[in-house]
Amino acid sequence: MKAAMRALVSIVALSAAGTAWSADKKYGPGVTDTEIKLGQTVAYSGPASAFASYGRTMMGYFAMINEAGGINGRKINLISLDNAFSPPKAIEQTRKLVEGDEVLADVGTVGTTPNVAIQKYLNGAKVPHIFISAGGRRFADKKNFPWSVPMYPGFEMEGRTFGEYIMKHKPDAKIGVLYQNDDYGKDFLTGLKAELGDKNRPVAEVSYEITEPTIDSLIVRLKDAGADVVLHFSTPKFTAQGLRKIKEIGWAPLQFLVSPSNSIKAVIEPAGFENAQGVITTQFTKQAGDPAWENDPEVMEYVAFMKKWAPNDNPGDFIALSGYVIAQGIAQALKQCGDDLTRENLLKQATIMKGQRFKMMLPGITLSTTPDDYIPYESLRLAKFEGKSWKLLDATGMSASAK
């Protein structure tokens, strides 16, 4: 009789939550009746500290969730540690989270370099490495890394998208590429070259190390090579430097920025609005501060959220926004887990997100992950910087209404 009553209580509670349920609770490390402990690392310091707003926004999101009662009655304890964008530091901090704090999963860690560093360790320990905020192809490689699932657009897909635009609108372009000399920069370059084929090979490819203080000399090398198109496959600090240097030397190539470096607050504003006019990027979200979305309910909700839960960060910062979007994915997977909060089930829920749309995603953009295919998105939109905001482009490459 008591067992039947427990089952009935479980059914009622989980039905009210609108999630999958199990009569018997199943918990992995870091889970109790009142708490779900999760971990991540973010570059709060170091050469990629612009990513810090991502971590602060995600922490704010789960603080908001907890104030409203948590997820299925459990509060989320997200432990977000500084990795300084350093592989040794990322490994050290991740081991601390798994072996010391005993978190259920590593969720939403941001950046290619830190995620590459921790991927083998987490997969070997069978700890979910999910909702990764990095677009390298290795993060959607189910065969070799079955415990890693990304939630950021694939960098190769971004590179292909730029290549498609160039071949359509500037087929005789002389292409110059600046790329970070690691998996981050190389994946964008791989996608670009795959789309260009043998029709239009870059006239120059120059790389830099994340520890270098400046890339000014590399920009000059691209100009000297005769490039009239420049693709910045770089992180925020170096992208801002590149935009400034190009303007400084009186050069006016067509420029492309990758999505991790298209933040108005962290990149465009430091570089100077006048130095970014006409630059093209990819997008999968709406943009706070863009007049086209001024009265959009989701944008207004997001701006209000930032004011309350991340008051020291700017809603116009795309890096912060990506933390908001990815936090929603994490929360959805936890809801779907119901009372089966094991590592195995959390991984399963992270891979059945096909068709899911979260607030601030552009119309028509949804997650695509399935148990057989971890690639998170099927397409992206292009946008051009005009004035002080990004303007979405239509299929012809012209500015299009976002509505």
Side-chain angles (χ1 to χ4, degrees):
M1 183 67 179
K2 290 182 179 179
M5 287 299 294
R6 283 198 300 271
L8 179 60
V9 169
S10 179
I11 292 170
V12 172
L14 290 168
S15 296
T19 61
W21 59 272
S22 168
D24 297 316
K25 295 177 181 179
K26 298 178 181 178
Y27 292 166
V31 181
T32 68
D33 285 347
T34 59
E35 181 184 68
I36 303 172
K37 192 184 298 184
L38 304 171
Q40 66 173 202
T41 67
V42 175
Y44 289 107
S45 65
S49 59
F51 290 137
S53 62
Y54 168 97
R56 290 190 293 265
T57 301
M58 191 172 283
M59 293 290 286
Y61 186 86
F62 285 110
M64 177 185 72
I65 290 290
N66 288 341
E67 185 183 75
I71 296 176
N72 298 335
R74 300 178 183 89
K75 300 295 179 68
I76 307 304
N77 178 5
L78 176 61
I79 305 171
S80 186
L81 302 181
D82 183 17
N83 62 39
F85 216 68
S86 161
K89 187 70 171 177
I91 294 172
E92 174 193 340
Q93 297 286 53
T94 302
R95 284 186 177 276
K96 179 180 183 298
L97 290 168
V98 173
E99 299 168 20
D101 297 305
E102 297 186 330
V103 298
L104 177 65
D106 183 288
V107 297
T109 286
V110 61
T112 299
T113 298
N115 279 295
V116 168
I118 65 178
Q119 186 175 26
K120 186 176 181 180
Y121 165 70
L122 290 171
N123 275 259
K126 295 185 177 181
V127 176
H129 177 212
I130 54 177
F131 301 103
I132 300 166
S133 184
R137 63 183 180 277
R138 64 181 291 145
F139 303 126
D141 181 359
K142 178 186 177 181
K143 180 179 178 180
N144 293 306
F145 300 106
W147 290 82
S148 296
V149 184
M151 196 183 159
Y152 198 89
F155 293 159
E156 285 192 13
M157 181 172 67
E158 282 201 56
R160 284 181 173 273
T161 302
F162 293 142
E164 182 180 1
Y165 181 93
I166 292 168
M167 294 304 294
K168 182 177 181 180
H169 297 281
K170 202 174 176 64
D172 298 324
K174 295 179 180 179
I175 300 168
V177 181
L178 169 74
Y179 69 97
Q180 190 162 291
N181 190 28
D182 57 17
D183 286 357
Y184 172 87
K186 291 175 183 177
D187 277 347
F188 288 116
L189 185 58
T190 296
L192 173 70
K193 286 183 171 181
E195 187 64 33
L196 296 176
D198 293 326
K199 299 175 183 177
N200 195 344
R201 310 300 291 178
V203 298
E205 301 170 19
V206 296
S207 66
Y208 69 89
E209 304 297 331
I210 189 70
T211 54
E212 292 183 27
T214 177
I215 46 85
D216 284 0
S217 64
L218 300 181
I219 295 297
V220 174
R221 282 174 56 186
L222 292 176
K223 180 178 185 295
D224 290 345
D228 57 14
V229 170
V230 173
L231 296 107
H232 298 262
F233 295 160
S234 46
T235 43
K237 168 187 170 182
F238 297 102
T239 302
Q241 286 184 8
L243 291 172
R244 285 196 304 268
K245 187 62 178 180
I246 284 174
K247 187 73 170 182
E248 178 185 310
I249 61 179
W251 189 22
L254 174 63
Q255 299 182 72
F256 293 84
L257 306 187
V258 294
S259 60
S261 292
N262 69 16
S263 170
I264 292 176
K265 181 65 177 178
V267 177
I268 306 299
E269 190 174 313
F273 290 115
E274 69 280 6
N275 299 335
Q277 298 304 307
V279 169
I280 295 174
T281 192
T282 57
Q283 290 188 337
F284 65 103
T285 66
K286 302 172 183 178
Q287 295 285 314
D290 187 331
W293 300 107
E294 185 177 3
N295 298 313
D296 182 85
E298 289 183 356
V299 173
M300 292 190 289
E301 180 181 342
Y302 171 64
V303 171
F305 159 81
M306 290 295 288
K307 184 177 181 179
K308 180 175 181 180
W309 297 103
N312 295 321
D313 290 292
N314 191 314
D317 178 2
F318 171 73
I319 296 169
L321 174 58
S322 64
Y324 177 80
V325 173
I326 290 176
Q328 293 177 65
I330 297 167
Q332 179 62 32
L334 292 171
K335 290 176 186 177
Q336 292 172 188
C337 281
D339 275 351
D340 185 355
L341 283 159
T342 58
R343 286 172 168 169
E344 292 78 9
N345 191 42
L346 180 56
L347 175 66
K348 175 184 176 182
Q349 299 307 322
T351 64
I352 53 173
M353 290 284 183
K354 189 173 179 63
Q356 286 278 359
R357 181 192 175 276
F358 298 107
K359 292 177 181 179
M360 291 298 285
M361 282 186 177
L362 287 172
I365 301 290
T366 62
L367 279 185
S368 304
T369 50
T370 70
D372 297 318
D373 187 352
Y374 289 1
I375 295 175
Y377 298 96
E378 296 175 349
S379 63
L380 297 169
R381 293 288 300 275
L382 286 170
K384 181 182 289 187
F385 196 75
E386 298 177 0
K388 293 187 176 182
S389 62
W390 292 106
K391 308 296 183 184
L392 288 172
L393 302 181
D394 63 18
T396 68
M398 302 296 289
S399 293
S401 171
K403 299 299 181 182

